[in-house]
Amino acid sequence: MKNIAVIGAGTMGNGIAHVFAQYGYTTNLIDISPTSLEKGVATIAKNLDRMIAKAVISEEEKAKTLAKISTYTDLEQGVKNVDLVIEAASENLALKLKIFKELDILCEPKTILATNTSSISITQIAAATQRPDKVIGMHFMNPVPIMKLVEIIRGYSTSNEVTELIMALAHKLDKTPTAVNDYPGFVANRILMPMINEAIETLYNGVAGVDEIDTVMRLGMAHPMGPLQLADFIGLDVCLSILNVMYDGFKNPKYAPCPLLANMVMAGKLGVKSGEGFYDYAASRKAETVSKQFQ
């Protein structure tokens, strides 16, 4: 594998493109918005500068990494002659199915199609294509350039050859791939999201306040950040979407989203990206604190 395409220039997409380009892969970053592509490349450059400041890479390595990245607003051009496509668009089933149907038509038969979904069924996504054996999940963690884990999710029809190839590829990116089976939420979010949801329920029931809940989990359980702060960092809308996927998939009430979470999302309080969630980032500048923890 030498040529990679990444769909979506947002937080996850530009992070995935950054890592592939840094490790020498020719990388096409695709988004329907030219502005999003500009912001994505600017973010990559900024993160490379941080690595230079920490003496992780050199100026020359930064230049080589950026030279490996090309941007496209046209999907057909962006996926032409690539070995692997990684979809990192919004966590929306209808959108992902649409993208994979198009990819199946536009990509060469040999091309492997991967999704960075954090909860949606790989088997369901693969069924939208004529190559379900070549569809797999690659769930990178945020921030991608720093976090080592990649959940490799095998759909019902994903071949052994493709699974082994993607596992080996993750190792070449200096990541730690972990193979999991295709069930709602996989492993990471099946464990994480109920914890976050329970923290929100604890707040909703008046057991303790935001700072108190997060302090207990940080100092008592040695978590790097509390679950409510982490939910703000992930995005409350994303948390709600993942919980809904698990609730629909398992039909188990323990995955039902807390009413407080649903109301906050409806009110547009999505966390860091909207400026307010469980914390008021505009007033307290906690957004800056959060980002520094991941630099």
Side-chain angles (χ1 to χ4, degrees), residues 103-123:
L103 290 175
D104 193 40
I105 295 169
L106 297 174
C107 294
E108 296 180 13
K110 68 170 186 176
T111 304
I112 296 172
L113 308 181
T115 173
N116 183 58
T117 181
S118 57
S119 61
I120 296 172
S121 168
I122 306 304
T123 302

Side-chain angles (χ1 to χ4, degrees), residues 85-137:
V85 179
I86 303 175
E87 171 271 319
S90 301
E91 194 72 351
N92 178 287
L93 175 60
L95 175 61
K96 291 185 187 296
L97 293 178
K98 178 178 181 294
I99 290 171
F100 273 78
K101 285 177 182 177
E102 292 179 10
L103 290 175
D104 193 40
I105 295 169
L106 297 174
C107 294
E108 296 180 13
K110 68 170 186 176
T111 304
I112 296 172
L113 308 181
T115 173
N116 183 58
T117 181
S118 57
S119 61
I120 296 172
S121 168
I122 306 304
T123 302
Q124 188 173 6
I125 292 172
T129 76
Q130 299 300 312
R131 62 181 87 192
D133 59 314
K134 292 185 174 66
V135 178
I136 195 165

Side-chain angles (χ1 to χ4, degrees), residues 99-222:
I99 290 171
F100 273 78
K101 285 177 182 177
E102 292 179 10
L103 290 175
D104 193 40
I105 295 169
L106 297 174
C107 294
E108 296 180 13
K110 68 170 186 176
T111 304
I112 296 172
L113 308 181
T115 173
N116 183 58
T117 181
S118 57
S119 61
I120 296 172
S121 168
I122 306 304
T123 302
Q124 188 173 6
I125 292 172
T129 76
Q130 299 300 312
R131 62 181 87 192
D133 59 314
K134 292 185 174 66
V135 178
I136 195 165
M138 290 187 78
H139 180 206
F140 289 83
M141 304 293 130
N142 184 29
V144 180
I146 296 173
M147 300 292 277
K148 289 291 187 180
L149 177 66
V150 183
E151 271 189 309
I152 306 297
I153 307 102
R154 178 175 180 158
Y156 185 83
S157 300
T158 308
S159 71
N160 290 334
E161 180 185 5
V162 166
T163 303
E164 291 168 5
L165 189 60
I166 295 301
M167 292 283 285
L169 177 64
H171 279 297
K172 290 177 181 178
L173 300 175
D174 196 26
K175 299 296 185 186
T176 302
T178 302
V180 305
N181 292 320
D182 186 21
Y183 290 93
F186 315 133
V187 171
N189 282 316
R190 183 169 179 172
I191 295 171
L192 174 63
M193 286 302 154
M195 183 191 74
I196 287 176
N197 199 44
E198 193 62 31
I200 299 171
E201 286 278 2
T202 303
L203 176 66
Y204 181 59
N205 292 331
V207 178
V210 171
D211 286 329
E212 289 77 13
I213 292 168
D214 277 356
T215 297
V216 166
M217 296 305 291
R218 281 190 298 104
L219 302 184
M221 312 305 163

